[in-house]
Amino acid sequence: VGATLSPAPRSVDHVRDKLRGGRLDRRAFDAILADVVRRRYSRVELAMFVLSCALRTLDEAEIIDFTQAMIGVGRRLDFGPGPVADKHCVGGVPGNRTTMIVVPILAALGVTMPKTSSRAITSPAGTADTMGVLAEVELAPDALHRIVREAGAGIAWGGALELAPADDILITVERPMEIDTEPQMVASILAKKKTAGATHVLIDIPMGPSAKVRSAEAAERLAGLFRRVGAAIDLRVETLVTEARGPIGCGIGPRLEALDVLAVLRRDPAAPRDLREKALYLAARLLEMVGAATQSCGYRAAQEALDSGAAAKAFDRIVTAQGARQLPPEAAHRDTIPARADGRIRAIDCWEVARLAKRAGAPANPAAGVRLLRTIGDVVERGEPLFEIFAQSAGQLASALAYAGEHPSMVSYGF
């Protein structure tokens, strides 16, 4: 066996230029991402690139070039001329698992929706993590095309499809650093939507005091950026700014979020109402956007599809086509966190609750996470159980309980 030293890729020079305050053009991004996809970048060099884009940020022209370069280094799916619908949430709100309700609603109404979703980056669960406890999500392109033909829609993990593969590699260093900047997020989301064959994309931008986006000004700036970059890559993009004063639904973590989704689809009277209403709102906008419902009539169409059971049947078809999985059993260790004061719950810190669920073991352990026993607007008494923690080990449960004790401001009270 012979061995020689492998020189660093020449494209790393572009990364160094960016770290010094320079700009990157399309040729530079093409060179960097080509080397990333060929696995020529070490972990240190990947981190250098992510940090250069985060610390020196990217202007709008750079974001467009970055997005186009991402599109150029992966495969592309084709589901016909369209309309092919897709949606994405920029994240930051635990339990916001609307995709798994929106997709079957649109499928029930005849709209093609091959949804590619991500696994968690900084959250306790991504859509692919949650769907993965119910069905196979690591699908090859041919399998996804078959599923869409059979069921009208699918919910797959984008990483298995090799769509914008450079992004999936960059995520491996973004996740431990908990970095998810706006320019990288916009490029990542829109590149994956374009390569997945979408023609119409709805972007949900939650805004709140503990969400990723915390002001109306920032939300409108981000919305405009999504629309302009979308137009530059010939993708119709619409945006919605939604309120986020706390988590959506009751469950946080793959298994617990899947239970919320099933409860909404099966019209369980105890299903979380906020998750149901937000999913209907997003589905309505998408239906109107693709022309499947007339303006201002999308909500009624979505509601009828959900309340009639048509959406639940569509979801069952999707799960069967993808390959159903047995729901994991409940986590072995549980405990509750009590209210620290009397009063009405005004807000729940999204970031802290997400970190609490991650301390419990989510998403690595699908059954781990947090269940909200009380939510925004509820009146509670001191000592009343607020959250229930689920963990696979006593050590993870103890870690989560300790974290909750160290962060008493996780829940705020007032009117």
Side-chain angles (χ1 to χ4, degrees):
V1 175
T4 61
L5 290 174
S6 176
R10 293 183 64 183
S11 66
V12 175
D13 291 338
H14 296 305
V15 178
R16 294 191 182 97
D17 288 342
K18 185 63 180 174
L19 278 170
R20 297 185 189 106
R23 291 188 72 261
L24 298 176
D25 59 16
R26 175 63 190 275
R27 289 182 61 188
F29 280 118
D30 283 341
I32 292 167
L33 297 186
D35 283 334
V36 167
V37 170
R38 294 189 192 110
R39 305 281 178 172
R40 297 191 65 205
Y41 270 43
S42 68
R43 297 280 290 180
V44 171
E45 288 160 343
L46 289 173
M48 279 175 59
F49 176 61
V50 168
L51 286 171
S52 71
C53 295
L55 299 176
R56 294 296 185 179
T57 197
L58 303 178
D59 62 34
E60 191 166 312
E62 286 179 298
I63 296 170
I64 292 170
D65 285 340
F66 188 20
T67 306
Q68 291 173 330
M70 276 195 186
I71 294 168
V73 294
R75 70 167 73 212
R76 296 179 66 169
L77 303 181
D78 186 358
F79 293 92
V84 178
D86 208 333
K87 70 161 283 289
H88 194 89
C89 175
V90 302
V93 179
N96 190 27
R97 209 50 60 217
T98 56
T99 290
M100 292 170 63
I101 302 167
V102 171
V103 170
I105 288 175
L106 266 70
L109 294 171
V111 178
T112 301
M113 195 167 180
K115 180 74 177 73
T116 58
S117 298
S118 59
R119 296 195 185 277
I121 300 176
T122 59
S123 69
T127 297
D129 299 305
T130 304
M131 185 66 179
V133 304
L134 300 174
E136 179 60 56
V137 294
E138 295 191 19
L139 305 172
D142 289 346
L144 183 58
H145 277 95
R146 172 187 58 79
I147 290 160
V148 172
R149 286 196 303 271
E150 293 177 5
I155 303 173
W157 175 47
L161 295 164
E162 296 184 358
L163 307 176
D167 184 56
D168 295 309
I169 296 169
L170 295 174
I171 283 172
T172 64
V173 295
E174 292 172 352
R175 182 180 289 114
M177 291 192 292
E178 295 189 336
I179 288 178
D180 192 15
T181 64
E182 284 187 7
Q184 290 164 310
M185 175 175 61
V186 170
S188 168
I189 291 170
L190 295 185
K192 288 189 172 179
K193 299 312 172 191
K194 184 68 175 180
T195 55
T199 59
H200 296 67
V201 179
L202 181 66
I203 304 293
D204 173 23
I205 304 176
M207 180 193 70
S210 60
K212 283 184 182 177
V213 181
R214 303 194 175 187
S215 69
E217 181 182 7
E220 288 304 321
R221 184 185 67 249
L222 180 59
L225 183 59
F226 268 115
R227 292 192 295 267
R228 293 191 298 274
V229 176
I233 63 171
D234 193 27
L235 189 63
R236 181 176 171 185
V237 175
E238 289 192 11
T239 56
L240 281 175
V241 178
T242 53
E243 183 184 24
R245 288 186 294 145
I248 300 290
C250 300
I252 302 167
R255 181 183 184 275
L256 297 170
E257 293 177 21
L259 291 175
D260 278 357
V261 167
L262 293 175
V264 171
L265 288 170
R266 293 169 179 171
R267 291 95 68 209
D268 186 330
R273 188 165 185 81
D274 56 353
L275 179 61
R276 169 190 161 91
E277 289 304 317
K278 184 169 184 180
L280 286 173
Y281 179 54
L282 296 174
R285 288 295 297 269
L286 261 177
L287 288 168
E288 294 169 8
M289 186 178 173
V290 302
T294 56
Q295 203 66 26
S296 302
C297 294
Y299 184 89
R300 179 177 296 178
Q303 186 179 43
E304 288 175 356
L306 183 58
D307 289 344
S308 68
K313 291 177 181 177
F315 186 74
D316 289 341
R317 288 194 297 271
I318 293 168
V319 167
T320 300
Q322 291 187 201
R325 287 180 168 175
Q326 187 172 1
L327 187 71
E330 188 175 270
H333 299 269
R334 299 163 56 184
D335 205 344
T336 58
I337 298 173
R340 292 179 173 270
D342 298 340
R344 183 183 298 274
I345 299 175
R346 183 179 64 184
I348 299 174
D349 192 302
C350 292
W351 176 255
E352 296 296 354
V353 169
R355 290 177 73 87
L356 177 64
K358 289 164 71 175
R359 287 291 184 98
N365 295 325
V370 174
R371 176 183 288 153
L372 305 188
L373 304 177
R374 293 291 186 180
T375 190
I376 308 297
D378 288 350
V379 176
V380 297
E381 296 179 0
R382 185 182 182 194
E384 182 180 347
L386 282 184
F387 305 148
E388 187 173 18
I389 300 176
F390 293 76
Q392 288 294 88
S393 72
Q396 288 171 316
L397 180 62
S399 175
L401 289 170
Y403 188 85
E406 294 163 2
H407 296 81
S409 61
M410 192 178 301
V411 178
S412 58
Y413 302 89
F415 286 89

